[in-house]
Amino acid sequence: MDHVIEMLNIRKEFPGIVANDNITVQVKQGEIHALLGENGAGKSTLMNVLFGLYQPEQGEIRVKGEKVNITNPNIANDYGIGMVHQHFMLVEPFTVTQNIILGSEPTTKSGKINIKKAEREIQELSDRYGLKVDPTAKISDISVGMQQRVEILKTLYRGAEVLIFDEPTAVLTPQEINELIEIMRSLIKEGKSIILITHKLKEIMEVCDRCTVIRKGKGIGTVNIKDTTTNELASLMVGREVSFHTEKKKAVPGQTILEIENLLVKDARKVDLVKGLNLEVKAGEIVGIAGVDGNGQSELIEAITGLRKANSGSIKLNNKAITNLNPRKVTESGLGHIPQDRHKYGLVLDYPVAENMVLQTYYKKPYSKATVLNFKEVYDKAESLIKEYDVRTPSASTLARALSGGNQQKAIIGREVDRSPDLLIAAQPTRGLDVGAIEFIHKKLIEERDKGKAILLVSFELDEIMDVSDRIAVMFDGKIVANVTPENTNEQQLGLLMAGSQLSEAGVHNDSE
Amino acid sequence: ACGSGSDKEEKESSGDSGSSKEAANEDFSAAMVTDIGGVDDKSFNQSAWEGLQEWGKENGLEKGNGFDYAQSNEKADYIPNLNRLIRDEYDLIFGIGFELKEDLQKVAKQYPDTHFAIVDDTIEADNAVSITFKEHIGSFLVGVAAAQKTETNKLGFVGGVDSPLINKFESGFIAGAKSVNPDIEVEVEYAESFGDPAKGKIIASNMYNNGIDIIYHASGGTGNGVFNEAKDIKQNDPERKIWVIGVDRDQHEEGQIGDHNVTLTSMVKRVDVAVKNVTEQAMNGEFPGGEKLEFGLEEDAINVATTNEDAMTKEIVDSVNEWKEKILNGDVEVPQTHEELKGFIDSL
Amino acid sequence: MIDILQSLIPTVLFFSAPLIFTALGGVFSERSGVVNIGLEGLMVMGAFVGIVFNLTFADVFGSWTPWVSIIVATFIGAIFSIIHAVASVSFRANQVVSGVAINMLALGIGVYLTKQWYGKGQTDMVSEPFFRTDIPILADIPIIGPIFFQGIYVTSYIAIIFAFIAWYVLYRTPFGLRLRAVGEHPMAADTNGINVYRMRYIAVILSGALGGLGGSVFALTIVSNFSHSTIVGQGFMALAAVIFGKWHPLGAMGAALFFGLAQSLSVVSGGIPVLQDVPQVFLLIAPYVLTILALAGFIGRAEAPRANGEPYIKGSR
Amino acid sequence: MTQNNRLFGILVPVISVLLGLLAGAIIMLVSGYSPIEGYAALWNGAFGDAFTIGETIRRITPLILTGLAVAFAFRSGLFNIGAEGQVIVGWLAAVWVGLAVDAPMILHLPLVLIVAMLAGALWGFVPGLLKAKLGVHEVIVTIMMNYIALFITNEIIRNVLTEQETTTEAIPATASLASEWLQTLTFFSRMHYGILVALFAAIIMWFIVQRTTIGYELKAVGFNQHASRYAGMNVSKNIILSMVISGAFAGLAGAMEGVGTYGTISVMSGFTNLGFDGIAVALLGSNNALGVVLAAILFGVLKEGAGQMPTSAGVPTELVDIIIALIIFFVASSYIIRWFLLRFKKEGK
Ligand SMILES: Nc1ncnc2c1ncn2[C@@H]1O[C@H](COP(=O)(O)OP(=O)(O)OP(=O)(O)O)[C@@H](O)[C@H]1O
Ligand SMILES: Nc1ncnc2c1ncn2[C@@H]1O[C@H](COP(=O)(O)OP(=O)(O)OP(=O)(O)O)[C@@H](O)[C@H]1O
Ligand SMILES: [Mg+2]
Ligand SMILES: [Mg+2]
């Protein structure tokens, strides 16, 4: 038998929903097997079943042909199954080492954790697979990419033979994605098998051997990557044709909406993060900010939106200074904000969807009068947004927490776009979403642009930047280092600029000058 | 009290509940409402209950039938408890402790035909008698004893809550000590609680550390901490001469540590005597309604305990008796307040 | 100065010891993600058991009685806390609610049984409480000896030693790493194969044991008997120490010592000439005001363990 | 789903109370008392006649308010253990203004209540401010504020309101919630109009929390401060506001005692426990207004009835504490009760 893992006819229900309905997946020894499906199709659920976090209602699991009963992650570990979760399972105040050894700690004779030994072992593993980490750093201090490497090390440390990656690239920068692909290849070389969940068809085409497609909880089938195309995969997944290139007319920029001059932002430790940045966004154009995570993008957005103090410089919206105004004032000056972290900022997860839909407007008529809320208006609004933005939720009174990530994002976008702000900031608006949802969101952004709104798009996905933006501002080390148009550049050049090369070196001409 | 069900219908008008009682001595009944301390507080509640029990025994009655008590767990319980006993048609109802003053005053007005008595405070009502004690005099006498006993000429006083009643103890104690020896210093601390033994212990520890060798406490449960500390010191150093003076009851038992006893004496307040006395008067149709009775040495209601014979030497006892005479004779006017104490000391 | 220290330090130590024990229990429980408002009740239970055992078996165990008593109280405290564990870990009860119930239940049971067994609301005084002792050898060191090692309770030092042990266990052993992981990110711990429920049970039971120990030490060093007013607020002070100490064993110990110091100072300062004219009320509130000032001034923000108070439901997200 | 939830919302507390009483009966049996006599005494103690009913209502009154206080803070993620201290200062303020001001009832009584609320609010403001501005944990600060309230109040009673007395004079009728009519109706129980104030407060709480943007913001801040900031809410302001309103409810509870039940304030040698009981009431009432009212009623009935148990049935009053604690456990563990109910239902089908 060359199947390391077989999941046969798996069924898993949650109250009110069948997340997995008779799904079969068979993974061959030494392959990278993709799992593809829309948001909420049931991919994570299926993998959690394999990892012992959920018990299936029906179906069986075989490891190397032998029928097994995986009732908890320990047993999964024993069978050599390791999982890198979609939402990282890392204890933030702990160090890298502490996280990796957690649950199988080496000890000295006196029962003390043998931290030295652990660090040595981790160093060895990390050298062997090219997983660069700092074993003594705290999780809260390291980049997302390194956090992911820690997750991978966690599985390797436990001797995993089959690794499950649940959307590993959703949170990574292009460079980090390339590194990850290298890592996966070296894992395969060492005889491991990998199950990869991703929405990025390009990645599947690049690294995977086979792909199992799931649609709305049901298994659609398994295809050989060699024998298929992205278009075929996409239509298998959503059940219709999907276009990848977003159609759009040429932009007609109008007056300047957002004007940033010499913006300086420091963090709590007084380190400069945004260092004298200048930026302009005009009505009717989409400006994409390209850059590697950690070059001040988040701080820039937080400063514009009033969530963080600007130390000097000026920010003007519609010719009105909004520097260091509180978020409410900024919003009222005509700003919409799709935040990068939807769980932290975008939603009150314990509020019903409806109440989340008025998070920015609850205090205004008609949603409230003289501080008294009008629930009828709130729910009417919510229902119409849910319909218009295709938010899949049992009802408007369902808690936002219960929605899948993609639908949460659609709810936020609906809320922000619907207010029709003059400037819309979209930070990573499609992170973790399936192609159908991405297409929808891109269409919405362009629609807004065509209505004459200014859009500032921040994304680590070069595809997205190239595809949607009318103008690209490359951000590096707290400054805009280049202004280019998608027509006059390519991913290669952008990548170089993002890494800090000069324009001339990158061979691009600067459009704004 | 189990028969309360049948009483209910009749109790509509408070008027007739007590009208025919005065004469019917046979089924005279009395009951009391404790304060938060509870009936087994080893203090005045317990003592009052003992008085009532003794009276009951002498008259062939038993608890729940002729005499009873109602326990209060919090301030809010006083009124319901008083009413419960009124509904159960007790002829005389005691409220034990100054905390019941307002409530008893109120109830006495509402039920003019029931007899009431308050212990440790005074109220104005024709159907109520106020029972107070001359604690200042008892405190004076233990002050005298302490002054005789001290070797450091430093005494301590630990009060529960700073209030006129406890000030009375304090004033009497200081006056007594200074009467014997004006050079004696008395350190006064209030714990602001009758139930904080930790505080009592810290205060005592500090006092004994500062050379004070006798502490008089008038602080209820807080005093546990004082005893605890004294016994502790004694346990470690049986030679060390330190003492505690108890309050309300003879606290000899609390002072026992191995073969030693740190309780020098106690200012005994015989609430039982007063309760029994008033109950008997009421039973005989001589209820002293509206009067303010002050029990003291004369009635044998204030005492200085001499249980600890090793400590209370004959000289001390004699000296205490001497001063007792002087007080009874009217030679000494014992101060009851801080003001009076000031005057008293100045006159020494 | 030395005089003042000499009268201050021993009182600080005996006042703080029960708080330290109990607060350490709180640290374990809350580090594992189970809020423990029930510390007060656990102390009540400990005090009750400690006193009753002491009264009953003083003849059997002689001078060992207090030691056996606190061990028994520790044990019963541990068993009693299982109620909190079952409710808040297995039955997903709101942990604050369960803690409040623990407080009422302990006091109810303690006083009910006291009345049942002794026919009155409070027990007699125990004949075998803890006594102060001088620590051999150390007590003879000049200056330090009298201040720290004369006339102190051995239990005070045990409390301090326990704090260090707790620190070691929490920060140096696999058990501690797992326990803290469970309190920060239970799902991460779960995916690492750690039994979240078991860890939380253990932590809560430890808090019961330490709370019982703290309560019995309080009763046997300070009060000597049991009644409804034996433990009034000490458990809440211990809870305050847990938070004040930022959920760290040594921090909690420091906070408990700080409370002891503030209490003692408010009493001792009455004897210090400069402070003699300060109205009593200021001395009375001083310990509490000082605590607030300390928190506002330099302790500041304390982050609770991330998952503190959240029942862990396997498979939820 | 929702229908089921509503059914459980009623069934779970009812089952919990029954289980609690059953446990109480077993304890009585084991300790050699008659449960029937015990519960008869409890019933009589709470509902025996007009007097006890009046007293029961009186006892319920402040519990509703402290329950609301704790519940309100909980709604924005704050744990107000300080209701106790807020009750004390509210009580003090009510009596103080009652004594110090001379005005017709129509002005005097509202003034008294408002000042009591302000005093409680002030006591809530301090921990609120420290939490909002410095991140100091409200649990410690409120615990400390309790003691400060107790000692300062005692000092003021002794040295400002009286001359070294332990109890103030009684407030004039113009400041009083007490009513001859209610008292006559209930054979001199201390029932007063405060119950109306408390019920009105419950409606206010419900309205603020469920129907206004204030409540919307407070709850949002309780759930997710980051999202609240993102949505333009002033997180600090909301934290402070929540503690202030919470304190005001507790202060009002103090006024119930000060100008309703007692008409005076006395030096206290310990806490009133109204605030601590409020925690249990709030939690039992799952932090919503109607729940709090019902929980306060349950609490008040059991506690008032308990007073009759020692005299009529020989059962120590603490039995009621045990019963209440068990009920709280059962309600808190509703998950398991639901689970049983669901199984039961499934099998029934
Ligand atoms: N613990 C849970 N309780 C209830 N429903 C759940 C739970 N976990 C997942 N679901 C639901 O099951 C369905 C499948 O979810 P799952 O997370 O497996 O989707 P996915 O394919 O991983 O989606 P995504 O691409 O967004 O990660 C969704 O409708 C989701 O809302
Ligand atoms: N058994 C051990 N042997 C050697 N070094 C250790 C050991 N355990 C931890 N360390 C190291 O000691 C340092 C402090 O560890 P510790 O776990 O106490 O962190 P901490 O910063 O105190 O934790 P926290 O921030 O959660 O309070 C870390 O650098 C850690 O890696
Ligand atoms: Mg997923
Ligand atoms: Mg996703």
Side-chain angles (χ1 to χ4, degrees), chain A residues 7-290:
Chain A
M7 299 184 77
L8 305 173
N9 307 319
I10 301 292
R11 181 184 175 88
K12 174 69 198 165
E13 292 173 29
F14 290 115
I17 191 163
V18 183
N20 290 165
D21 186 1
N22 203 18
I23 300 183
T24 295
V25 184
Q26 292 172 308
V27 181
K28 287 185 188 158
Q29 168 67 43
E31 75 167 342
I32 301 185
H33 191 111
L35 211 51
L36 182 64
E38 284 182 285
N39 292 122
K43 307 176 296 289
S44 299
T45 305
L46 186 68
M47 289 302 106
N48 283 335
V49 167
L50 178 58
F51 192 57
L53 283 171
Y54 296 153
Q55 302 315 306
E57 268 80 43
Q58 180 196 305
E60 71 178 61
I61 300 174
R62 292 191 191 160
V63 178
K64 297 198 177 126
E66 177 195 348
K67 184 166 183 281
V68 296
N69 190 12
I70 303 177
T71 49
N72 70 52
N74 270 338
I75 297 177
N77 275 331
D78 293 344
Y79 287 116
I81 301 169
M83 179 158 174
V84 175
H85 294 265
Q86 184 170 0
H87 306 282
F88 290 161
M89 295 293 168
L90 295 172
V91 184
E92 288 218 343
F94 284 11
T95 64
V96 168
T97 303
Q98 287 172 328
N99 266 287
I100 293 173
I101 62 176
L102 181 62
S104 36
E105 306 83 354
T107 53
T108 62
K109 264 177 244 121
S110 60
K112 185 170 142 178
I113 296 178
N114 194 339
I115 219 85
K116 290 275 152 343
K117 178 166 174 230
E119 283 171 3
R120 227 174 22 241
E121 285 172 2
I122 288 164
Q123 199 57 56
E124 277 167 23
L125 273 178
S126 115
D127 292 346
R128 180 156 150 216
Y129 293 98
L131 293 157
K132 225 178 104 239
V133 294
D134 171 3
T136 56
K138 276 206 176 146
I139 297 298
S140 47
D141 296 338
I142 64 178
S143 72
V144 175
M146 195 186 283
Q147 290 184 9
Q148 186 168 61
R149 294 196 286 278
V150 174
E151 284 280 21
I152 300 171
L153 279 170
K154 250 164 75 174
T155 65
L156 296 175
Y157 186 81
R158 286 167 174 68
E161 289 299 319
V162 179
L163 284 85
I164 306 165
F165 288 95
D166 193 350
E167 285 189 49
T169 58
V171 290
L172 300 184
T173 61
Q175 280 80 355
E176 286 171 331
I177 291 175
N178 288 334
E179 284 171 33
L180 178 67
I181 287 175
E182 282 316 305
I183 291 166
M184 288 198 280
R185 290 198 169 124
S186 75
L187 286 168
I188 295 297
K189 234 179 270 155
E190 295 276 339
K192 316 269 179 198
S193 312
I194 293 175
I195 303 176
L196 174 68
I197 300 179
T198 180
H199 293 296
K200 296 178 186 167
L201 302 173
K202 215 173 74 185
E203 288 165 7
I204 295 181
M205 297 306 290
E206 190 177 344
V207 293
C208 295
D209 302 305
R210 296 194 304 150
C211 174
T212 297
V213 182
I214 301 175
R215 192 194 307 156
K216 296 191 174 137
K218 292 198 171 61
I220 298 297
T222 304
V223 293
N224 276 323
I225 297 301
K226 281 200 298 277
D227 312 333
T228 189
T229 62
T230 27
N231 281 335
E232 191 191 350
L233 282 180
S235 49
L236 270 180
M237 171 169 83
V238 289
R240 65 177 163 86
E241 287 294 318
V242 190
S243 81
F244 288 96
H245 194 75
T246 323
E247 295 302 322
K248 59 175 190 194
K249 296 185 298 233
K250 186 142 179 49
V252 203
Q255 78 211 81
T256 303
I257 299 290
L258 175 72
E259 196 178 353
I260 301 177
E261 277 172 15
N262 292 322
L263 181 67
L264 188 82
V265 182
K266 295 177 196 283
D267 70 0
R269 283 169 291 184
K270 301 268 177 259
V271 178
D272 289 358
L273 295 171
V274 177
K275 307 172 175 173
L277 177 139
N278 294 298
L279 181 71
E280 240 185 42
V281 185
K282 294 196 165 67
E285 70 167 348
I286 300 181
V287 174
I289 296 209

Side-chain angles (χ1 to χ4, degrees), chain B residues 53-337:
Chain B
Q53 278 174 306
E54 202 175 307
W55 167 81
K57 209 192 289 167
E58 282 175 15
N59 290 280
L61 304 171
E62 40 181 271
K63 176 174 181 289
N65 196 358
F67 66 98
D68 204 349
Y69 71 89
Q71 172 105 20
S72 308
N73 290 325
E74 49 185 303
K75 254 183 139 91
D77 292 340
Y78 300 151
I79 285 272
N81 279 340
L82 288 167
N83 276 274
R84 194 165 292 138
L85 297 175
I86 293 168
R87 269 175 295 156
D88 288 349
E89 305 199 322
Y90 283 96
D91 302 291
L92 171 61
I93 296 167
F94 288 90
I96 313 297
F98 65 89
E99 287 211 340
L100 279 87
K101 171 179 171 151
E102 280 78 29
D103 291 332
L104 202 69
Q105 177 93 55
K106 217 183 266 174
V107 172
K109 214 157 88 205
Q110 293 160 351
Y111 294 93
D113 297 318
T114 303
H115 291 156
F116 297 95
I118 178 123
V119 170
D120 263 2
D121 213 321
T122 58
I123 59 177
E124 311 282 340
D126 287 341
N127 58 332
V129 56
S130 307
I131 301 170
T132 55
F133 296 85
K134 297 174 180 163
E135 294 99 347
H136 53 297
I137 291 178
S139 301
F140 184 96
L141 295 177
V142 296
V144 168
Q148 303 282 358
K149 192 78 187 172
T150 180
E151 291 176 2
T152 59
N153 281 351
K154 280 170 148 184
L155 305 178
F157 175 82
V158 178
V161 170
D162 195 354
S163 58
L165 179 66
I166 305 300
N167 291 164
K168 211 165 146 189
F169 289 75
E170 176 199 335
S171 306
F173 180 66
I174 297 175
K178 298 231 179 205
S179 298
V180 174
N181 178 358
D183 295 335
I184 285 180
E185 284 173 40
V186 184
E187 189 181 327
V188 177
E189 287 280 354
Y190 280 89
E192 279 306 291
S193 168
F194 288 106
D196 190 349
K199 192 90 186 250
K201 186 168 164 98
I202 294 181
I203 294 174
S205 159
N206 190 42
M207 283 182 169
Y208 287 131
N209 243 316
N210 293 344
I212 286 168
D213 58 351
I214 305 174
I215 298 176
Y216 175 37
H217 93 91
S219 61
T222 302
N224 278 1
V226 178
F227 276 104
N228 181 302
E229 178 66 17
K231 287 195 280 188
D232 212 327
I233 295 175
K234 197 77 180 174
Q235 166 81 13
N236 274 296
D237 183 2
E239 297 312 307
R240 181 122 176 241
K241 296 207 176 58
I242 51 152
W243 306 99
V244 182
I245 297 176
V247 76
D248 291 346
R249 288 167 47 256
D250 183 353
Q251 293 196 293
H252 188 74
E253 195 191 316
E254 274 85 340
Q256 198 65 40
I257 174 72
D259 300 333
H260 301 274
N261 194 308
V262 295
T263 306
L264 172 64
T265 174
S266 300
M267 199 288 285
V268 182
K269 180 166 138 184
R270 298 292 300 270
V271 182
D272 54 337
V273 170
V275 165
K276 194 172 157 220
N277 183 314
V278 170
T279 313
E280 274 164 359
Q281 289 186 41
M283 181 172 69
N284 300 331
E286 296 157 6
F287 182 71
E291 284 184 36
K292 297 187 173 59
L293 306 177
E294 213 185 351
F295 288 81
L297 297 172
E298 298 87 340
E299 295 82 5
D300 228 10
I302 290 287
N303 262 333
V304 173
T306 53
T307 328
N308 193 343
E309 284 169 6
D310 299 338
M312 288 292 273
T313 56
K314 186 164 176 311
E315 289 151 55
I316 299 179
V317 176
D318 286 347
S319 170
V320 167
N321 286 334
E322 221 169 88
W323 284 95
K324 204 189 257 180
E325 265 336 288
K326 285 189 204 168
I327 294 169
L328 286 172
N329 291 341
D331 294 347
V332 180
E333 186 74 35
V334 180
Q336 307 194 36
T337 63

